[in-house]
Amino acid sequence: MTGPLRPAFGEGQVLAAADLTATVEHARTTAARHARYLHEWGIVEGLALVTAPRTDPLSGARFVEVTVSAGLAVDGTGRELLVPRPVVLREADFEAVNGAAPTADPYPVFLAAVDRDPGGPARPDACGTPAVRTRVEESYQILFGRLGDERLVAGQQPPPVDAASADPPVRWLVLLGYVRWADGHFTGVTTDARRVGLRHAGVRADVVAAQSGTLTLRTSASEGKPAVVLSGEDPPSLVFGLYQGNGGVDPLLTVAANGNLSIKGSFAGRMSVGSVLVTSGTATDGMLLPLPDGVTAQEVADGRAVLHVQVTPRIPPVTGMQLHSAAEAGVDADRRVRCRIRTYDLQTAPPEIAERPGAVEFLVLAAVAATNGGD
């Protein structure tokens, strides 16, 4: 078994068409193998199903015109599929596959590679020999599938590792989305149906290293989308936040090199046995005391978390001849505050006594109870 054969030439050598073709094929096969094994196949850019509202001039029914936007994909053989300009989907092509009266379910739309004759005059191969084509257009075709054909995508198998570029190309389906159909027209699009969605191109790598010392991962180039920054600068840090239009990241969570964790929001998670979560504040009569972050009402109800509540009435200061005391300060079984402040007016004889709603300082502790099965 030999490895790939790279064409080599010498001075004065007469080059045949096969020699030049072998040069091109060596480069094509190398590029396809790289795309096949160092990357995950799928949509690279664009290729969205875009709708525009339309009205049927005969029936007056509303429908949509569906266009595949310009873009690029790489299929599982390593072949690039370039759609240089937007393409309007033809309703006649859909009817040819699914008939004129299909169901209301979404139908898949695929992109596949195809080689075409670019047209133009052919050139003679040599004096007295028939003219031959000297160019091949690496084109594409947009295909409609039947219901359930989207499952064919997962069953596609890449060619062997030593396979050369195929001519014509192997038919590999790249899912672009789904269209809906009613009364002879497209009525809508979607990117997911029957648990099969779009697949976008990716990278296969066990190690990713940043030349600048900072590695950024983001879900989108749009502002406000999640991003992660791993910085090797002094001091090192790991930051999760929202991507900003200027290229930076607004940090929401930061892990420092010493293990310190800083977050902008609250922290919630599964509590381990013996842990205690706390919340505190001020509440007035009739208010429901909050639970500590990370504790749910269901956990309290079924005994997984045990609450300890302490309330201290806020007694107003003495004003003139008025004295104040707590007539009631506590919480009921629903954690609702019961607080009444009693006021004694010593300017009258006998002293006038009045009650009004009051406020308390509260402390709520939630302890995780041990169970027979541990935590």
Side-chain angles (χ1 to χ4, degrees):
M1 182 67 68
T2 62
L5 297 178
R6 183 179 69 249
F9 309 110
E11 292 292 341
Q13 177 182 351
V14 177
L15 299 180
D19 298 318
L20 299 178
T21 299
T23 302
V24 174
E25 288 304 313
H26 179 269
R28 288 183 64 205
T29 300
T30 300
R33 193 161 46 239
H34 174 97
R36 199 160 62 235
Y37 294 108
L38 271 75
H39 299 272
E40 294 287 339
W41 67 270
I43 297 172
V44 178
E45 177 67 27
L47 302 180
L49 298 182
V50 182
T51 62
R54 297 288 186 267
T55 302
D56 190 313
L58 299 179
S59 65
R62 302 297 298 273
F63 66 98
V64 295
E65 180 183 78
V66 181
T67 301
V68 177
S69 65
L72 176 70
V74 176
D75 69 18
T77 71
R79 168 81 174 249
E80 285 191 354
L81 293 85
L82 174 65
V83 180
R85 289 172 295 278
V87 179
V88 177
L89 299 186
R90 300 191 337 146
E91 294 172 339
D93 293 341
F94 178 88
E95 289 184 331
V97 176
N98 294 293
T103 69
D105 295 312
Y107 288 76
V109 182
F110 302 107
L111 182 70
V114 65
D115 285 345
R116 301 186 191 279
D117 184 346
R123 299 178 59 184
D125 186 36
C127 294
T129 61
V132 295
R133 298 292 181 185
T134 60
R135 299 290 186 273
V136 175
E137 179 186 354
E138 295 186 340
S139 189
Y140 63 90
Q141 55 183 335
I142 297 175
L143 307 170
F144 292 104
R146 296 182 174 87
L147 289 179
D149 280 355
E150 66 276 1
R151 295 185 177 89
L152 298 175
V153 172
Q156 300 176 114
Q157 296 297 321
V161 67
D162 60 346
S165 298
D167 290 315
V170 175
R171 181 175 174 179
W172 190 284
L173 301 177
V174 177
L175 181 65
L176 300 182
Y178 301 82
V179 293
R180 296 184 183 274
W181 179 273
D183 301 325
H185 297 291
F186 297 122
T187 59
V189 300
T190 183
T191 58
D192 186 278
R194 297 174 288 277
R195 297 186 177 181
V196 180
L198 305 185
R199 174 172 175 150
H200 290 82
V203 177
R204 294 183 180 183
D206 290 338
V207 177
V208 178
Q211 290 184 331
S212 65
T214 298
L215 183 66
T216 301
L217 302 176
R218 62 175 187 251
T219 60
S220 170
S222 301
E223 187 173 357
K225 297 298 184 179
V228 176
V229 179
L230 180 61
S231 175
E233 298 179 356
D234 190 17
S237 64
L238 173 66
V239 174
F240 169 79
L242 301 180
Y243 180 68
Q244 297 177 314
N246 59 6
V249 173
D250 181 22
L252 298 177
L253 180 150
T254 302
V255 181
N258 59 3
N260 288 345
L261 177 66
S262 301
I263 58 176
K264 280 191 174 180
S266 60
F267 181 81
R270 184 176 181 269
M271 301 188 302
S272 59
V273 171
S275 63
V276 178
L277 297 179
V278 181
T279 187
S280 61
T282 302
T284 57
D285 181 66
M287 287 184 59
L288 191 68
L289 293 184
L291 293 172
D293 288 336
V295 180
T296 66
Q298 185 60 45
E299 289 173 331
V300 175
D302 60 21
R304 284 178 290 166
V306 178
L307 293 184
H308 302 273
V309 181
Q310 177 180 331
V311 294
T312 303
R314 299 184 65 177
I315 306 298
V318 176
T319 55
M321 298 295 290
Q322 289 186 337
L323 301 178
H324 309 279
S325 66
E328 179 185 15
V331 293
D332 60 18
D334 296 325
R335 306 192 316 279
R336 194 171 301 280
V337 174
R338 300 301 182 193
C339 181
R340 305 289 294 179
I341 299 298
R342 183 172 296 161
T343 301
Y344 300 87
D345 189 349
L346 303 181
Q347 293 180 343
T348 63
E352 183 178 338
I353 302 174
E355 288 188 5
R356 59 182 176 83
V360 298
E361 303 285 348
F362 69 85
L363 178 68
V364 179
L365 294 87
V368 179
T371 62
N372 292 335
D375 61 357

